[in-house]
Amino acid sequence: TRSSRPQRMLAHVKRHAARGDPQSVIDAIDYFCRHKEWAMNVGDEKGTILDSVVCEVSPGAVLELGTYCGYSTMRIARLLAPGARLITLEFNPANAAVARQVIAWAGLEHKVQLVEGSSGDLIPQMREKFGIDSFDLVFLDHWKDWYLPDTRLMEELGLLHKGSVLLADNVICPGAPEYLAYVRSSPRYDSRYFKSHLEYTYVEDGLEKSVFPGASAGSRP
Ligand SMILES: O=C(NCCCCc1cc2cnccc2s1)c1cc(-c2ccc(F)cc2)cc(O)c1O
Ligand SMILES: [Mg+2]
């Protein structure tokens, strides 16, 4: 049967990127998506903003919701300190299979744990299955109407600590209006919009960076 777009993307990576060189894999995917076939990676423009947030937070524990082909997974993992860990969740097994190969081609598999399944099922298992106490950084890039319920779930499970950073892709296109309203409305959330463009296009999109206030915030002093 006809190959899938992620499979064609992987073939392009194997042909044009150097094994063990994450930047060459990132560049190959950007070239493929800009000049051959559009795909929903965070892309180079928003990717630069993602990089700057990762460097600023220098997280020990990162959760990525939505792996797709592993593009943002690599952008994050290549910047992690030794011993820091990235757990990334992907719902679609075919995409997960491509992502594993992309991440391996970049030589980043030892920094990344890719888990297949839905965030609603997996987030409650983070402690028992992955020994995670809390996340320093969460990159939200999965179903847009799941950003808010999953954020509430992480709050309720105590998976966010004071200063944890949430970085959400696509808050304009396709959009996550309920999530935006939530993180922007609470006076104690420190939320900021980084205006950019939908990957590989001139359409407006952006990333919302929200610093979690700590469980006690919002209650009376
Ligand atoms: O849907 C998008 N990403 C989500 C895929 C969700 C699959 C998963 C669900 C799930 C549940 N639990 C755990 C893991 C996961 S992974 C998406 C779409 C566009 C886009 C598409 C067309 C268009 F015209 C304009 C923008 C751009 C983007 O940057 C995107 O990220
Ligand atoms: Mg996205």
Side-chain angles (χ1 to χ4, degrees), residues 141 144 169-170:
D141 195 20
K144 308 314 161 191
D169 189 25
N170 311 119

Side-chain angles (χ1 to χ4, degrees), residues 40-42 46 139-142 144 147 169-170 173-174 198-199 205:
M40 62 180 175
N41 315 114
V42 75
K46 289 187 287 180
F139 182 53
L140 298 95
D141 195 20
H142 61 332
K144 308 314 161 191
Y147 285 15
D169 189 25
N170 311 119
C173 176
L198 177 68
E199 47 267 26
D205 189 24

Side-chain angles (χ1 to χ4, degrees), residues 1-220:
T1 58
R2 197 169 124 72
S3 66
S4 72
R5 181 166 304 186
Q7 285 170 326
R8 293 193 293 275
M9 185 192 298
L10 175 61
H12 181 86
V13 162
K14 290 182 172 178
R15 215 172 14 257
H16 297 280
R19 273 182 182 278
D21 177 355
Q23 196 56 52
S24 76
V25 181
I26 289 163
D27 294 343
I29 290 175
D30 285 331
Y31 183 91
F32 178 83
C33 296
R34 197 173 284 284
H35 301 294
K36 294 181 185 298
E37 301 184 62
W38 186 91
M40 62 180 175
N41 315 114
V42 75
D44 47 356
E45 191 179 311
K46 289 187 287 180
T48 305
I49 300 164
L50 171 60
D51 290 356
S52 63
V53 172
V54 173
C55 290
E56 176 199 354
V57 177
S58 58
V62 185
L63 176 63
E64 175 179 62
L65 303 175
T67 315
Y68 187 44
C69 295
Y71 176 89
S72 50
T73 319
M74 289 189 292
R75 290 202 80 113
I76 297 165
R78 84 195 201 287
L79 298 174
L80 293 182
R85 330 176 35 190
L86 166 54
I87 295 176
T88 183
L89 310 186
E90 178 51 51
F91 180 75
N92 177 314
N95 291 349
V98 167
R100 289 186 202 286
Q101 295 177 75
V102 167
I103 292 159
W105 196 266
L108 291 168
E109 64 277 22
H110 57 291
K111 288 181 172 284
V112 176
Q113 202 162 354
L114 197 166
V115 188
E116 290 177 45
S118 96
S119 50
D121 297 339
L122 291 169
I123 286 172
Q125 299 177 42
M126 281 298 138
R127 279 208 181 80
E128 63 178 304
K129 272 189 122 175
F130 309 104
I132 291 284
D133 183 44
S134 64
F135 291 106
D136 306 304
L137 173 65
V138 181
F139 182 53
L140 298 95
D141 195 20
H142 61 332
W143 287 321
K144 308 314 161 191
D145 51 0
W146 284 32
Y147 285 15
L148 181 52
D150 283 349
T151 296
R152 299 307 310 254
L153 182 59
M154 289 186 286
E155 287 176 8
E156 281 144 26
L157 293 169
L159 287 169
L160 303 176
H161 58 71
K162 187 171 177 52
S164 289
V165 173
L166 305 178
L167 187 66
D169 189 25
N170 311 119
V171 294
I172 302 302
C173 176
E178 298 85 0
Y179 173 79
L180 273 190
Y182 175 71
V183 293
R184 289 177 176 175
S185 64
S186 159
R188 285 177 179 68
Y189 255 94
D190 180 16
S191 200
R192 181 183 157 191
Y193 175 60
F194 291 80
K195 183 176 160 89
S196 184
H197 294 94
L198 177 68
E199 47 267 26
Y200 318 114
T201 77
Y202 293 102
V203 174
E204 182 180 344
D205 189 24
L207 302 174
E208 187 82 1
K209 177 191 170 207
S210 308
V211 182
F212 182 67
S216 62
S219 56
R220 292 278 164 266

